[in-house]
Amino acid sequence: MHKPLSPTSIHPPFAPYSSGIEISAGERLVFCSGQLGIAKDGTIPPDCAAQTRLAFDNIFAILAEAGMTPKDIVRINAYVTGREHLKPYMEVRNGLFGEPYPASTLMIVSGFARPEFVVEIEAIAASPG
């Protein structure tokens, strides 16, 4: 079981995520490369929320191949191309995860390799060995 770390000596998170996550010794780790909002057939939705959902679906498929589920995610790094994408990204993320929330970072970047992409998400998962 993952243990959320939320020291009272620091400012609490701004959204539903953990300041840190402790994983037990001997757990397996899976590191997911950054996933974009692109479907298997190559289609890319125009809006951030749909791209976010696809990117998380891609991460969940990677985890399933390793015998893991979204509940095993301990860390999320997400990147969006503008402030206007923060809210749609967070609404999708917040709807997918419950307690204990993964540790999470969200950054605004200038862009990705192709201009139609507005979000990219990386994840780390841990489960009993």
Side-chain angles (χ1 to χ4, degrees):
M1 178 56 99
H2 310 127
K3 178 183 172 186
L5 303 173
S6 300
T8 58
S9 61
I10 66 172
H11 192 279
F14 291 110
Y17 62 86
S18 296
S19 294
I21 295 286
E22 179 181 342
I23 59 171
S24 300
E27 289 201 20
R28 285 184 320 123
L29 296 175
V30 170
F31 295 82
C32 297
S33 296
Q35 296 299 305
L36 298 162
I38 186 169
K40 183 179 179 182
D41 66 5
T43 58
I44 303 165
D47 63 290
C48 182
Q51 285 190 29
T52 299
R53 183 64 208 183
L54 269 174
F56 274 118
D57 286 347
N58 293 340
I59 288 168
F60 298 163
I62 294 164
L63 295 179
E65 189 161 313
M68 293 184 178
T69 72
K71 290 184 182 232
D72 295 314
I73 294 176
V74 296
R75 175 88 174 119
I76 299 167
N77 290 331
Y79 312 91
V80 295
T81 58
R83 258 187 221 300
E84 69 275 17
H85 302 306
L86 295 173
K87 184 177 179 185
Y89 164 79
M90 289 189 290
E91 286 175 348
V92 172
R93 180 202 63 198
N94 294 349
L96 293 173
F97 296 95
E99 293 185 31
Y101 297 109
S104 184
T105 298
L106 175 57
M107 297 191 316
I108 298 171
V109 297
S110 64
F112 301 110
R114 290 174 45 186
E116 59 267 42
F117 293 115
V118 298
V119 63
E120 184 169 342
I121 305 166
E122 304 168 339
I124 299 172
S127 71

